Amino acid sequence: MSVSKQKSARPLNFNGTVAEALAKGLVRHGVNLVFGQSLPSALHLAAKSHGIRQAWYRTENAGGAMADAFARLSNRVGVVTAQNGPAATLLVPPLAEALKASVPVVALVQEVALTQTDKNAFQEFDHMALFGACTKWVRRLDQAGRVDDYLDMAFRAAVSGRPGPVALLLPADLLLAPYQPGATPRSQSLGSFPFERTMPDRAHLDEAADLLASAERPLIIAGGGVHLSGASQELAALQEAASLPVATTVMGKGSVDETHPLSLGVVGYFMGTGGSGKFQRELVEQADLVLLVGNRTNQNGTDSWSLYPSEARYIHIDADPMEIGRNYEALPLLGDAKLILSELTALMQGRDLAGRLAARPALEKKIAQGKARHQREAKGLLRSGRKPVRPERIMYELNRRLTPETVVVADASYSSIWVANYLTSLAPGMRFITPRGLAGLGWGLPMAMGAKLARPQSPVVCLAGDGGFGHSWSELEAAARMGLDLTIMVLNNRILGYQKHAENVKFGDHTDAVYMSDVDHAAVAEACGCRGIRVREPEKLPEALDLAMSEPGPVLVDILSDPTAYPPITSFEGKLAM
């Protein structure tokens, strides 16, 4: 018998323990999957006996990213576990991403035994302080009679208001202690979000409808909050009923059908030469009324706050009052995007929309002309036969293979920008998962794994640069072990592209660390039990992608791509040679 399969003669019985009570509580909240390695072992073993599956990771950083993507796609709270000390510290980056991106994740972290607190126990650390800056709520369970209270508080904090991550610390000895039921039995399930949908003041809704109906050049800019609310269909209904043009942020991509004649695509800081939004910029800058939906108005989304018109009026729908008016004073519509958009559509139908209908043909023509100009400008790159392979050609081939059910996951940096620019959302609610909260490198692969576990029937494609992929390629082994059907595309240009190009623009030179070795990622994949394919010529791409997207299990396509290529970032315009 191998070591990995050895079992003790008498497994510990967790019946009646705090660990079992936690497992039962997770089941009550609709949890059937937990991302974890081993610790808290008592919790995982108890959870297993209650039907909760364990999805494993190789590093906690990746495990947190898996839970994040799982939550984004399932609208259920992602649950991740970790050991105390160094393992817990590795949860900080993904929890910080979830905090900025408003994704509910519950981190269950083993703590040193209560009897050993503040005695310099092995791997003891101040986890309350550690998680204080990267979660909405952090507490330590220290009483066997408060299990349900604290677990419910954790889930309620994660899903209420603006969703986000929380951390609950679990002392190792308490997990094995006898469970003491609370004074009041609990039966409520808090594991789905949005948990409580709220509406703003009716007077504000009426005013917003009046403004939208009377504006000459209105524009909607939808952010990631549309997906969090599940409001894509409501946004599409408003777009059509009121003849309103819609643009999105990177995180909002997929909230509308980008083939719709009133859809501009993604707008932000990459509307330069070759960018899909380059010829739509005028429609944004000349808007006289902007409706922001779940939009943080952050630096990248607004092109360093230079894109959105300064003279326009703003209406802002958001679940977080602190985001409304943060950078653009706005009529506040505080509440749930799905409910508010539905109500606005009903209110608009009672307004005089003759002006909107009359303006629609010319508006659609202008948007179509912008899209056609982009296609003409980018055609040479999209169909390029150059070697190494142009990223635009890679996106062209991938775009031809997408369906509305495909989930595309991109790593941070250039990968997210290639996806935002050159892939097409084919229906309202199509999902493009990108780590744009903090935009940390290395989360592409683990997020794709979490996405596949959330939607096992959907094709999942991951795009990552070789720089970012190097942060997490160990997770290939975990993906193979779980038998996840994934297509992983690595743009292997042997450099840290964004870093090198940005340094050249800012300083006229770049640091030595931007250059990397020519790693054969296909061989790495094979060593981890996955299928690996290496592509050197653009004409080999179609066959490689068709094979990768049809084979079971994780398949990695390592594409030798052009190190001189860069996305249409506006701050790069005229400062780098193509």
PDB file of all heavy atoms in Angstrom, residues 25-57:
ATOM      1  N   GLY A  25     -23.351  23.277   9.599  1.00  0.00           N
ATOM      2  CA  GLY A  25     -23.664  24.666   9.292  1.00  0.00           C
ATOM      3  C   GLY A  25     -23.358  25.011   7.846  1.00  0.00           C
ATOM      4  O   GLY A  25     -24.125  25.723   7.187  1.00  0.00           O
ATOM      5  N   LEU A  26     -22.244  24.487   7.332  1.00  0.00           N
ATOM      6  CA  LEU A  26     -21.912  24.726   5.925  1.00  0.00           C
ATOM      7  C   LEU A  26     -22.965  24.125   5.009  1.00  0.00           C
ATOM      8  O   LEU A  26     -23.377  24.744   4.018  1.00  0.00           O
ATOM      9  CB  LEU A  26     -20.540  24.138   5.611  1.00  0.00           C
ATOM     10  CG  LEU A  26     -19.337  24.831   6.257  1.00  0.00           C
ATOM     11  CD1 LEU A  26     -18.050  24.055   5.965  1.00  0.00           C
ATOM     12  CD2 LEU A  26     -19.195  26.265   5.769  1.00  0.00           C
ATOM     13  N   VAL A  27     -23.423  22.919   5.332  1.00  0.00           N
ATOM     14  CA  VAL A  27     -24.480  22.292   4.541  1.00  0.00           C
ATOM     15  C   VAL A  27     -25.734  23.154   4.564  1.00  0.00           C
ATOM     16  O   VAL A  27     -26.388  23.356   3.526  1.00  0.00           O
ATOM     17  CB  VAL A  27     -24.781  20.873   5.065  1.00  0.00           C
ATOM     18  CG1 VAL A  27     -26.029  20.303   4.398  1.00  0.00           C
ATOM     19  CG2 VAL A  27     -23.589  19.953   4.825  1.00  0.00           C
ATOM     20  N   ARG A  28     -26.080  23.681   5.719  1.00  0.00           N
ATOM     21  CA  ARG A  28     -27.263  24.552   5.835  1.00  0.00           C
ATOM     22  C   ARG A  28     -27.139  25.780   4.942  1.00  0.00           C
ATOM     23  O   ARG A  28     -28.135  26.262   4.400  1.00  0.00           O
ATOM     24  CB  ARG A  28     -27.448  24.965   7.304  1.00  0.00           C
ATOM     25  CG  ARG A  28     -28.542  25.988   7.537  1.00  0.00           C
ATOM     26  CD  ARG A  28     -28.932  26.059   8.995  1.00  0.00           C
ATOM     27  NE  ARG A  28     -27.826  26.375   9.880  1.00  0.00           N
ATOM     28  CZ  ARG A  28     -27.425  27.605  10.182  1.00  0.00           C
ATOM     29  NH1 ARG A  28     -28.043  28.650   9.640  1.00  0.00           N
ATOM     30  NH2 ARG A  28     -26.414  27.813  11.003  1.00  0.00           N
ATOM     31  N   HIS A  29     -25.934  26.267   4.756  1.00  0.00           N
ATOM     32  CA  HIS A  29     -25.725  27.445   3.911  1.00  0.00           C
ATOM     33  C   HIS A  29     -25.524  27.081   2.438  1.00  0.00           C
ATOM     34  O   HIS A  29     -25.138  27.942   1.640  1.00  0.00           O
ATOM     35  CB  HIS A  29     -24.533  28.249   4.433  1.00  0.00           C
ATOM     36  CG  HIS A  29     -24.781  28.876   5.768  1.00  0.00           C
ATOM     37  ND1 HIS A  29     -25.894  29.644   6.038  1.00  0.00           N
ATOM     38  CD2 HIS A  29     -24.064  28.837   6.925  1.00  0.00           C
ATOM     39  CE1 HIS A  29     -25.855  30.057   7.294  1.00  0.00           C
ATOM     40  NE2 HIS A  29     -24.765  29.576   7.857  1.00  0.00           N
ATOM     41  N   GLY A  30     -25.792  25.840   2.107  1.00  0.00           N
ATOM     42  CA  GLY A  30     -25.739  25.432   0.705  1.00  0.00           C
ATOM     43  C   GLY A  30     -24.364  25.103   0.188  1.00  0.00           C
ATOM     44  O   GLY A  30     -24.158  24.979  -1.020  1.00  0.00           O
ATOM     45  N   VAL A  31     -23.396  24.933   1.068  1.00  0.00           N
ATOM     46  CA  VAL A  31     -22.023  24.633   0.656  1.00  0.00           C
ATOM     47  C   VAL A  31     -21.890  23.139   0.377  1.00  0.00           C
ATOM     48  O   VAL A  31     -22.203  22.312   1.237  1.00  0.00           O
ATOM     49  CB  VAL A  31     -21.020  25.062   1.741  1.00  0.00           C
ATOM     50  CG1 VAL A  31     -19.596  24.647   1.349  1.00  0.00           C
ATOM     51  CG2 VAL A  31     -21.098  26.558   1.982  1.00  0.00           C
ATOM     52  N   ASN A  32     -21.439  22.792  -0.816  1.00  0.00           N
ATOM     53  CA  ASN A  32     -21.160  21.393  -1.126  1.00  0.00           C
ATOM     54  C   ASN A  32     -19.743  21.178  -1.634  1.00  0.00           C
ATOM     55  O   ASN A  32     -19.379  20.083  -2.030  1.00  0.00           O
ATOM     56  CB  ASN A  32     -22.166  20.844  -2.137  1.00  0.00           C
ATOM     57  CG  ASN A  32     -22.172  21.630  -3.443  1.00  0.00           C
ATOM     58  OD1 ASN A  32     -21.231  22.364  -3.744  1.00  0.00           O
ATOM     59  ND2 ASN A  32     -23.236  21.484  -4.212  1.00  0.00           N
ATOM     60  N   LEU A  33     -18.960  22.264  -1.636  1.00  0.00           N
ATOM     61  CA  LEU A  33     -17.578  22.198  -2.106  1.00  0.00           C
ATOM     62  C   LEU A  33     -16.731  23.178  -1.303  1.00  0.00           C
ATOM     63  O   LEU A  33     -17.105  24.345  -1.140  1.00  0.00           O
ATOM     64  CB  LEU A  33     -17.518  22.563  -3.591  1.00  0.00           C
ATOM     65  CG  LEU A  33     -16.148  22.511  -4.267  1.00  0.00           C
ATOM     66  CD1 LEU A  33     -15.702  21.062  -4.445  1.00  0.00           C
ATOM     67  CD2 LEU A  33     -16.186  23.216  -5.619  1.00  0.00           C
ATOM     68  N   VAL A  34     -15.592  22.702  -0.807  1.00  0.00           N
ATOM     69  CA  VAL A  34     -14.667  23.528  -0.050  1.00  0.00           C
ATOM     70  C   VAL A  34     -13.288  23.402  -0.679  1.00  0.00           C
ATOM     71  O   VAL A  34     -12.835  22.294  -0.993  1.00  0.00           O
ATOM     72  CB  VAL A  34     -14.611  23.120   1.435  1.00  0.00           C
ATOM     73  CG1 VAL A  34     -13.502  23.862   2.161  1.00  0.00           C
ATOM     74  CG2 VAL A  34     -15.945  23.392   2.119  1.00  0.00           C
ATOM     75  N   PHE A  35     -12.617  24.529  -0.868  1.00  0.00           N
ATOM     76  CA  PHE A  35     -11.269  24.532  -1.421  1.00  0.00           C
ATOM     77  C   PHE A  35     -10.270  24.441  -0.273  1.00  0.00           C
ATOM     78  O   PHE A  35     -10.243  25.315   0.602  1.00  0.00           O
ATOM     79  CB  PHE A  35     -11.037  25.804  -2.235  1.00  0.00           C
ATOM     80  CG  PHE A  35     -11.928  25.902  -3.445  1.00  0.00           C
ATOM     81  CD1 PHE A  35     -13.182  26.487  -3.357  1.00  0.00           C
ATOM     82  CD2 PHE A  35     -11.517  25.382  -4.661  1.00  0.00           C
ATOM     83  CE1 PHE A  35     -14.018  26.566  -4.453  1.00  0.00           C
ATOM     84  CE2 PHE A  35     -12.349  25.453  -5.771  1.00  0.00           C
ATOM     85  CZ  PHE A  35     -13.599  26.042  -5.675  1.00  0.00           C
ATOM     86  N   GLY A  36      -9.450  23.395  -0.279  1.00  0.00           N
ATOM     87  CA  GLY A  36      -8.522  23.251   0.824  1.00  0.00           C
ATOM     88  C   GLY A  36      -7.490  22.165   0.571  1.00  0.00           C
ATOM     89  O   GLY A  36      -7.619  21.358  -0.350  1.00  0.00           O
ATOM     90  N   GLN A  37      -6.447  22.161   1.397  1.00  0.00           N
ATOM     91  CA  GLN A  37      -5.478  21.068   1.385  1.00  0.00           C
ATOM     92  C   GLN A  37      -5.853  20.102   2.497  1.00  0.00           C
ATOM     93  O   GLN A  37      -6.711  19.259   2.319  1.00  0.00           O
ATOM     94  CB  GLN A  37      -4.064  21.609   1.557  1.00  0.00           C
ATOM     95  CG  GLN A  37      -3.451  22.132   0.267  1.00  0.00           C
ATOM     96  CD  GLN A  37      -1.968  22.441   0.419  1.00  0.00           C
ATOM     97  OE1 GLN A  37      -1.411  22.424   1.509  1.00  0.00           O
ATOM     98  NE2 GLN A  37      -1.324  22.763  -0.692  1.00  0.00           N
ATOM     99  N   SER A  38      -5.237  20.239   3.671  1.00  0.00           N
ATOM    100  CA  SER A  38      -5.585  19.320   4.761  1.00  0.00           C
ATOM    101  C   SER A  38      -6.149  20.066   5.966  1.00  0.00           C
ATOM    102  O   SER A  38      -7.261  19.790   6.400  1.00  0.00           O
ATOM    103  CB  SER A  38      -4.364  18.506   5.169  1.00  0.00           C
ATOM    104  OG  SER A  38      -3.288  19.369   5.504  1.00  0.00           O
ATOM    105  N   LEU A  39      -5.415  21.040   6.469  1.00  0.00           N
ATOM    106  CA  LEU A  39      -5.871  21.724   7.680  1.00  0.00           C
ATOM    107  C   LEU A  39      -6.914  22.796   7.367  1.00  0.00           C
ATOM    108  O   LEU A  39      -6.813  23.466   6.323  1.00  0.00           O
ATOM    109  CB  LEU A  39      -4.677  22.353   8.401  1.00  0.00           C
ATOM    110  CG  LEU A  39      -3.613  21.349   8.865  1.00  0.00           C
ATOM    111  CD1 LEU A  39      -2.448  22.070   9.527  1.00  0.00           C
ATOM    112  CD2 LEU A  39      -4.198  20.335   9.828  1.00  0.00           C
ATOM    113  N   PRO A  40      -7.900  22.969   8.234  1.00  0.00           N
ATOM    114  CA  PRO A  40      -8.187  22.219   9.455  1.00  0.00           C
ATOM    115  C   PRO A  40      -8.664  20.793   9.137  1.00  0.00           C
ATOM    116  O   PRO A  40      -9.772  20.616   8.620  1.00  0.00           O
ATOM    117  CB  PRO A  40      -9.300  23.022  10.133  1.00  0.00           C
ATOM    118  CG  PRO A  40      -9.351  24.341   9.421  1.00  0.00           C
ATOM    119  CD  PRO A  40      -8.878  24.062   8.029  1.00  0.00           C
ATOM    120  N   SER A  41      -7.831  19.805   9.440  1.00  0.00           N
ATOM    121  CA  SER A  41      -8.135  18.421   9.087  1.00  0.00           C
ATOM    122  C   SER A  41      -9.438  17.954   9.704  1.00  0.00           C
ATOM    123  O   SER A  41     -10.236  17.251   9.057  1.00  0.00           O
ATOM    124  CB  SER A  41      -6.996  17.512   9.535  1.00  0.00           C
ATOM    125  OG  SER A  41      -5.782  17.908   8.950  1.00  0.00           O
ATOM    126  N   ALA A  42      -9.682  18.321  10.954  1.00  0.00           N
ATOM    127  CA  ALA A  42     -10.915  17.888  11.623  1.00  0.00           C
ATOM    128  C   ALA A  42     -12.142  18.374  10.872  1.00  0.00           C
ATOM    129  O   ALA A  42     -13.125  17.639  10.713  1.00  0.00           O
ATOM    130  CB  ALA A  42     -10.924  18.399  13.063  1.00  0.00           C
ATOM    131  N   LEU A  43     -12.088  19.602  10.386  1.00  0.00           N
ATOM    132  CA  LEU A  43     -13.225  20.153   9.645  1.00  0.00           C
ATOM    133  C   LEU A  43     -13.413  19.416   8.322  1.00  0.00           C
ATOM    134  O   LEU A  43     -14.537  19.044   7.956  1.00  0.00           O
ATOM    135  CB  LEU A  43     -13.019  21.641   9.402  1.00  0.00           C
ATOM    136  CG  LEU A  43     -14.077  22.319   8.520  1.00  0.00           C
ATOM    137  CD1 LEU A  43     -15.465  22.177   9.128  1.00  0.00           C
ATOM    138  CD2 LEU A  43     -13.738  23.783   8.304  1.00  0.00           C
ATOM    139  N   HIS A  44     -12.332  19.206   7.579  1.00  0.00           N
ATOM    140  CA  HIS A  44     -12.451  18.527   6.288  1.00  0.00           C
ATOM    141  C   HIS A  44     -12.977  17.099   6.444  1.00  0.00           C
ATOM    142  O   HIS A  44     -13.817  16.643   5.654  1.00  0.00           O
ATOM    143  CB  HIS A  44     -11.101  18.506   5.572  1.00  0.00           C
ATOM    144  CG  HIS A  44     -10.749  19.789   4.902  1.00  0.00           C
ATOM    145  ND1 HIS A  44     -11.465  20.282   3.833  1.00  0.00           N
ATOM    146  CD2 HIS A  44      -9.775  20.702   5.147  1.00  0.00           C
ATOM    147  CE1 HIS A  44     -10.939  21.436   3.447  1.00  0.00           C
ATOM    148  NE2 HIS A  44      -9.914  21.708   4.222  1.00  0.00           N
ATOM    149  N   LEU A  45     -12.497  16.386   7.467  1.00  0.00           N
ATOM    150  CA  LEU A  45     -12.947  15.013   7.668  1.00  0.00           C
ATOM    151  C   LEU A  45     -14.408  14.968   8.094  1.00  0.00           C
ATOM    152  O   LEU A  45     -15.179  14.122   7.629  1.00  0.00           O
ATOM    153  CB  LEU A  45     -12.059  14.331   8.708  1.00  0.00           C
ATOM    154  CG  LEU A  45     -10.615  14.081   8.254  1.00  0.00           C
ATOM    155  CD1 LEU A  45      -9.750  13.631   9.430  1.00  0.00           C
ATOM    156  CD2 LEU A  45     -10.576  13.047   7.140  1.00  0.00           C
ATOM    157  N   ALA A  46     -14.807  15.903   8.931  1.00  0.00           N
ATOM    158  CA  ALA A  46     -16.216  15.967   9.335  1.00  0.00           C
ATOM    159  C   ALA A  46     -17.093  16.366   8.156  1.00  0.00           C
ATOM    160  O   ALA A  46     -18.189  15.835   7.967  1.00  0.00           O
ATOM    161  CB  ALA A  46     -16.379  16.944  10.486  1.00  0.00           C
ATOM    162  N   ALA A  47     -16.606  17.316   7.358  1.00  0.00           N
ATOM    163  CA  ALA A  47     -17.389  17.786   6.208  1.00  0.00           C
ATOM    164  C   ALA A  47     -17.596  16.671   5.194  1.00  0.00           C
ATOM    165  O   ALA A  47     -18.662  16.552   4.580  1.00  0.00           O
ATOM    166  CB  ALA A  47     -16.679  18.975   5.565  1.00  0.00           C
ATOM    167  N   LYS A  48     -16.568  15.844   5.013  1.00  0.00           N
ATOM    168  CA  LYS A  48     -16.660  14.737   4.052  1.00  0.00           C
ATOM    169  C   LYS A  48     -17.816  13.816   4.396  1.00  0.00           C
ATOM    170  O   LYS A  48     -18.550  13.349   3.508  1.00  0.00           O
ATOM    171  CB  LYS A  48     -15.333  13.979   4.046  1.00  0.00           C
ATOM    172  CG  LYS A  48     -15.274  12.823   3.065  1.00  0.00           C
ATOM    173  CD  LYS A  48     -13.899  12.158   3.121  1.00  0.00           C
ATOM    174  CE  LYS A  48     -13.824  10.984   2.147  1.00  0.00           C
ATOM    175  NZ  LYS A  48     -12.475  10.335   2.191  1.00  0.00           N
ATOM    176  N   SER A  49     -18.017  13.552   5.673  1.00  0.00           N
ATOM    177  CA  SER A  49     -19.092  12.647   6.086  1.00  0.00           C
ATOM    178  C   SER A  49     -20.466  13.278   5.917  1.00  0.00           C
ATOM    179  O   SER A  49     -21.484  12.584   6.041  1.00  0.00           O
ATOM    180  CB  SER A  49     -18.886  12.226   7.547  1.00  0.00           C
ATOM    181  OG  SER A  49     -19.028  13.337   8.420  1.00  0.00           O
ATOM    182  N   HIS A  50     -20.503  14.586   5.625  1.00  0.00           N
ATOM    183  CA  HIS A  50     -21.777  15.273   5.395  1.00  0.00           C
ATOM    184  C   HIS A  50     -21.944  15.688   3.936  1.00  0.00           C
ATOM    185  O   HIS A  50     -22.747  16.573   3.621  1.00  0.00           O
ATOM    186  CB  HIS A  50     -21.892  16.480   6.327  1.00  0.00           C
ATOM    187  CG  HIS A  50     -22.147  16.100   7.758  1.00  0.00           C
ATOM    188  ND1 HIS A  50     -23.396  15.850   8.259  1.00  0.00           N
ATOM    189  CD2 HIS A  50     -21.285  15.881   8.784  1.00  0.00           C
ATOM    190  CE1 HIS A  50     -23.310  15.512   9.530  1.00  0.00           C
ATOM    191  NE2 HIS A  50     -22.035  15.534   9.883  1.00  0.00           N
ATOM    192  N   GLY A  51     -21.193  15.031   3.055  1.00  0.00           N
ATOM    193  CA  GLY A  51     -21.399  15.228   1.631  1.00  0.00           C
ATOM    194  C   GLY A  51     -20.713  16.435   1.025  1.00  0.00           C
ATOM    195  O   GLY A  51     -20.991  16.791  -0.122  1.00  0.00           O
ATOM    196  N   ILE A  52     -19.820  17.086   1.766  1.00  0.00           N
ATOM    197  CA  ILE A  52     -19.103  18.248   1.233  1.00  0.00           C
ATOM    198  C   ILE A  52     -17.817  17.775   0.567  1.00  0.00           C
ATOM    199  O   ILE A  52     -16.963  17.161   1.214  1.00  0.00           O
ATOM    200  CB  ILE A  52     -18.795  19.267   2.342  1.00  0.00           C
ATOM    201  CG1 ILE A  52     -20.098  19.802   2.945  1.00  0.00           C
ATOM    202  CG2 ILE A  52     -17.956  20.424   1.789  1.00  0.00           C
ATOM    203  CD1 ILE A  52     -19.883  20.752   4.121  1.00  0.00           C
ATOM    204  N   ARG A  53     -17.689  18.057  -0.728  1.00  0.00           N
ATOM    205  CA  ARG A  53     -16.496  17.654  -1.468  1.00  0.00           C
ATOM    206  C   ARG A  53     -15.335  18.612  -1.189  1.00  0.00           C
ATOM    207  O   ARG A  53     -15.548  19.770  -0.853  1.00  0.00           O
ATOM    208  CB  ARG A  53     -16.771  17.638  -2.965  1.00  0.00           C
ATOM    209  CG  ARG A  53     -17.788  16.595  -3.414  1.00  0.00           C
ATOM    210  CD  ARG A  53     -17.950  16.614  -4.918  1.00  0.00           C
ATOM    211  NE  ARG A  53     -18.449  17.900  -5.399  1.00  0.00           N
ATOM    212  CZ  ARG A  53     -17.933  18.573  -6.417  1.00  0.00           C
ATOM    213  NH1 ARG A  53     -16.869  18.112  -7.055  1.00  0.00           N
ATOM    214  NH2 ARG A  53     -18.464  19.716  -6.800  1.00  0.00           N
ATOM    215  N   GLN A  54     -14.141  18.122  -1.345  1.00  0.00           N
ATOM    216  CA  GLN A  54     -12.943  18.930  -1.186  1.00  0.00           C
ATOM    217  C   GLN A  54     -12.260  19.098  -2.536  1.00  0.00           C
ATOM    218  O   GLN A  54     -11.966  18.119  -3.226  1.00  0.00           O
ATOM    219  CB  GLN A  54     -11.979  18.272  -0.200  1.00  0.00           C
ATOM    220  CG  GLN A  54     -10.740  19.094   0.096  1.00  0.00           C
ATOM    221  CD  GLN A  54      -9.832  18.429   1.121  1.00  0.00           C
ATOM    222  OE1 GLN A  54     -10.196  17.419   1.711  1.00  0.00           O
ATOM    223  NE2 GLN A  54      -8.648  18.984   1.320  1.00  0.00           N
ATOM    224  N   ALA A  55     -12.065  20.348  -2.945  1.00  0.00           N
ATOM    225  CA  ALA A  55     -11.279  20.658  -4.143  1.00  0.00           C
ATOM    226  C   ALA A  55      -9.927  21.145  -3.662  1.00  0.00           C
ATOM    227  O   ALA A  55      -9.852  22.055  -2.835  1.00  0.00           O
ATOM    228  CB  ALA A  55     -11.977  21.723  -4.980  1.00  0.00           C
ATOM    229  N   TRP A  56      -8.866  20.553  -4.169  1.00  0.00           N
ATOM    230  CA  TRP A  56      -7.565  20.846  -3.585  1.00  0.00           C
ATOM    231  C   TRP A  56      -6.767  21.829  -4.425  1.00  0.00           C
ATOM    232  O   TRP A  56      -6.970  21.979  -5.622  1.00  0.00           O
ATOM    233  CB  TRP A  56      -6.765  19.570  -3.352  1.00  0.00           C
ATOM    234  CG  TRP A  56      -6.896  18.558  -4.443  1.00  0.00           C
ATOM    235  CD1 TRP A  56      -6.190  18.490  -5.591  1.00  0.00           C
ATOM    236  CD2 TRP A  56      -7.807  17.460  -4.475  1.00  0.00           C
ATOM    237  NE1 TRP A  56      -6.586  17.421  -6.341  1.00  0.00           N
ATOM    238  CE2 TRP A  56      -7.584  16.767  -5.688  1.00  0.00           C
ATOM    239  CE3 TRP A  56      -8.788  16.991  -3.584  1.00  0.00           C
ATOM    240  CZ2 TRP A  56      -8.304  15.624  -6.038  1.00  0.00           C
ATOM    241  CZ3 TRP A  56      -9.509  15.860  -3.945  1.00  0.00           C
ATOM    242  CH2 TRP A  56      -9.261  15.192  -5.151  1.00  0.00           C
ATOM    243  N   TYR A  57      -5.858  22.476  -3.751  1.00  0.00           N
ATOM    244  CA  TYR A  57      -4.926  23.407  -4.384  1.00  0.00           C
ATOM    245  C   TYR A  57      -3.515  23.040  -3.958  1.00  0.00           C
ATOM    246  O   TYR A  57      -3.320  22.279  -3.004  1.00  0.00           O
ATOM    247  CB  TYR A  57      -5.256  24.852  -3.995  1.00  0.00           C
ATOM    248  CG  TYR A  57      -5.342  25.106  -2.498  1.00  0.00           C
ATOM    249  CD1 TYR A  57      -4.192  25.139  -1.711  1.00  0.00           C
ATOM    250  CD2 TYR A  57      -6.565  25.344  -1.866  1.00  0.00           C
ATOM    251  CE1 TYR A  57      -4.258  25.375  -0.347  1.00  0.00           C
ATOM    252  CE2 TYR A  57      -6.640  25.584  -0.497  1.00  0.00           C
ATOM    253  CZ  TYR A  57      -5.489  25.598   0.256  1.00  0.00           C
ATOM    254  OH  TYR A  57      -5.550  25.838   1.605  1.00  0.00           O
TER     255      TYR A  57
END
